[in-house]
Amino acid sequence: MNKKTIITILLALIAVAGQAQVKCHVEGTLETDAWGDEVIICEAGTDLRVVDEPRFHVKAKDGHFTYDIETDFPRLYVVFFLKQQETGNWFQGEFLAENCNVNVTMYEDKRVRIVSSGEEGRKHAVKDSIEDVRFWNPVEEIDNKLENPDRMAEFYKADFISTIAKVRAMNVDSLPKAYVDSVRQVVDHYMRNESEQYTTLGLQLKQRRDSITAGLVPFRFAYDAECPMLWTLYDVCDAIQVLKRADNYANFDKSQFEPYLTLYHDKLANYYPGHPIHEQIATAEAAYRLQPGKPYTDYTVRNTDGHLVPISTLTKGKVALIDLWASWCGPCRRHSKAMIPVYEKYKDKGFTVVAIARERKREDMENAARKDGYPWTSLLELNDENGVWRKNGADNAGGAMYLIDRDGTILSTSTDAEELETLIKKALNIE
């Protein structure tokens, strides 16, 4: 075989390797026009506040749309109404883009219905059908009763009904903040005290609903352990994300989700080898371990010169606050501004702030930093190019803070400036 022939074969192999191995055709129907005619189809985990591309936006015509996906591996995709997503409360459908056809039906106020001709899609449909019978259908029946406006007096106490009516009638922008806050405190009180919210009959229905939903996660885990599929690997990743956020909720039961880590390492680590989901699971698990007393992770960021550098080179020998923030995240910016006087007090004593902004445009970061008056320089994570948020376990959150010691040990994940100052002084040996 001569040299020219070998080169030709190699070029052909490269061309084949570069082609998409998976081609998925999506056909969609809109059963409502309440949310407009534009839907979003993108890979699961995409945050449109940071990464938004024209190809994600699909316009329906006469209530129908089509969409074609070409990718290297079967990957999990989501579909939802754009306008519904903008309200912060939306119904999202999920499907695996594999070599198959996918039919999507979208409704105004209920789950998206998806039917896939793919092997993984059919496997998951069996699990879904069991869930519907055991959990979702009974829950929907109870919700329909509890949400029926003509039957509210049967299930809710008069004072609660009156409070909810006030909240719905409120124009937050035109009312004094103190009044709005007082009403919200009353609502919060009712939410924490179900016996004051529901009548006896309503409380019975609510407790029955809770009893049904309490069995959902154990069922899913048992099914995943018995009938593993590619979807199961995504379930593992989801479980880790839930565990990462568990401390944000009072009395959260981690025991339902922790077995997913054991299941993965015992049975699934070599399942579907080479799939990118394994890297996602490894990254998510490492981020889950980012807790006080543990070493902070290392990853690359773009420095002010535009070069990729390890984050450790920017914190070495310093007590450092890693401040992950975004121009569009109000709470993040409030936490960052609260740290300004702390920074000014200790910046010459061994303390530094390494701020990283998660943005779609550099100007958004620059404008926000200038407006807020940050005395430190902020680095830029543009369009999630380095996966910094994912590596910190922040995922689709606006931001997070990690206070780390000189040796890289995490001291705190708090965002409270007063609490952080106490720890900074201790780490700097300042009385």
Side-chain angles (χ1 to χ4, degrees), residues 158-175:
D159 285 347
F160 178 73
I161 295 174
S162 174
T163 301
I164 293 301
K166 287 181 182 178
V167 172
R168 289 174 176 167
M170 276 197 317
N171 183 341
V172 175
D173 296 330
S174 64
L175 291 172

Side-chain angles (χ1 to χ4, degrees), residues 40-90:
I40 297 294
I41 300 179
C42 60
E43 192 171 350
T46 303
D47 190 335
L48 296 184
R49 296 170 299 183
V50 184
V51 181
D52 192 3
E53 300 180 17
R55 62 190 175 93
F56 299 161
H57 296 253
V58 184
K59 283 272 194 179
K61 184 177 181 181
D62 298 326
H64 297 279
F65 65 86
T66 62
Y67 192 75
D68 289 299
I69 299 170
E70 294 189 4
T71 183
D72 51 355
F73 287 90
R75 293 175 182 264
L76 188 64
Y77 274 71
V78 293
V79 54
F80 51 85
F81 283 109
L82 176 63
K83 283 188 178 179
Q84 199 174 57
Q85 182 263 349
E86 290 170 348
T87 68
N89 182 22
W90 70 95

